[in-house]
Amino acid sequence: QVHLVESGGGLVQAGGSLRLSCVASGSTFSINRMRWYRQAPGKQRELVAGITSGGITTYEDSVKGRFTIYRDNAKNTVYLQMNSLKPEDTAVYYCNAYRQVWGTTYDYWGQGTQVTVSS
């Protein structure tokens, strides 16, 4: 089992910055990939950024150049640094952990953290 706790959300003006944190606990040694998703009201949850256990990162097109995902393995924490925030970045942001153990896959989710960007 993996338990995820996000923090760092809040209200910020357009152009501002926030850093989200996701602390993982439990069977963290077998996590293959960590991702940040977001869900705006009335919209589907979408992938924002991901990082593999090897450090390979991916980003959704609209956040490239503005958001950075990185990890601190010693703290079992993944971060999402969000700069140049726009009102359209407003959403609940969720941390996701993916494990594959002996051919079985597991997905874990945090409770979400609200990000609101005012214009």
Side-chain angles (χ1 to χ4, degrees):
Q1 281 286 346
V2 173
H3 184 57
L4 303 173
V5 178
E6 301 107 330
S7 62
L11 173 64
V12 65
Q13 288 188 332
S17 298
L18 284 173
R19 188 182 75 163
L20 306 184
S21 300
C22 173
V23 180
S25 60
S27 301
T28 59
F29 63 93
S30 57
I31 293 176
N32 303 101
R33 181 185 68 210
M34 298 286 292
R35 287 177 168 176
W36 285 97
Y37 288 77
R38 66 186 179 188
Q39 187 166 19
K43 295 187 177 181
Q44 290 189 332
R45 190 172 295 189
E46 66 173 357
L47 174 64
V48 177
I51 185 166
T52 68
S53 57
I56 298 173
T57 58
T58 56
Y59 297 93
E60 193 267 330
D61 285 345
S62 69
V63 307
K64 285 180 179 177
R66 300 189 297 123
F67 291 10
T68 302
I69 186 171
Y70 61 100
R71 60 197 303 167
D72 184 336
N73 291 329
K75 296 181 178 180
N76 289 326
T77 302
V78 172
Y79 301 94
L80 185 67
Q81 177 66 46
M82 305 186 295
N83 299 327
S84 302
L85 283 162
K86 305 176 181 180
E88 51 264 43
D89 295 319
T90 296
V92 178
Y93 284 70
Y94 297 92
C95 180
N96 166 265
Y98 172 89
R99 296 171 65 214
Q100 186 172 14
V101 181
W102 295 106
T104 301
T105 61
Y106 304 87
D107 260 309
Y108 303 93
W109 294 90
Q111 82 287 354
T113 184
Q114 176 71 47
V115 171
T116 303
V117 184
S118 63
S119 57

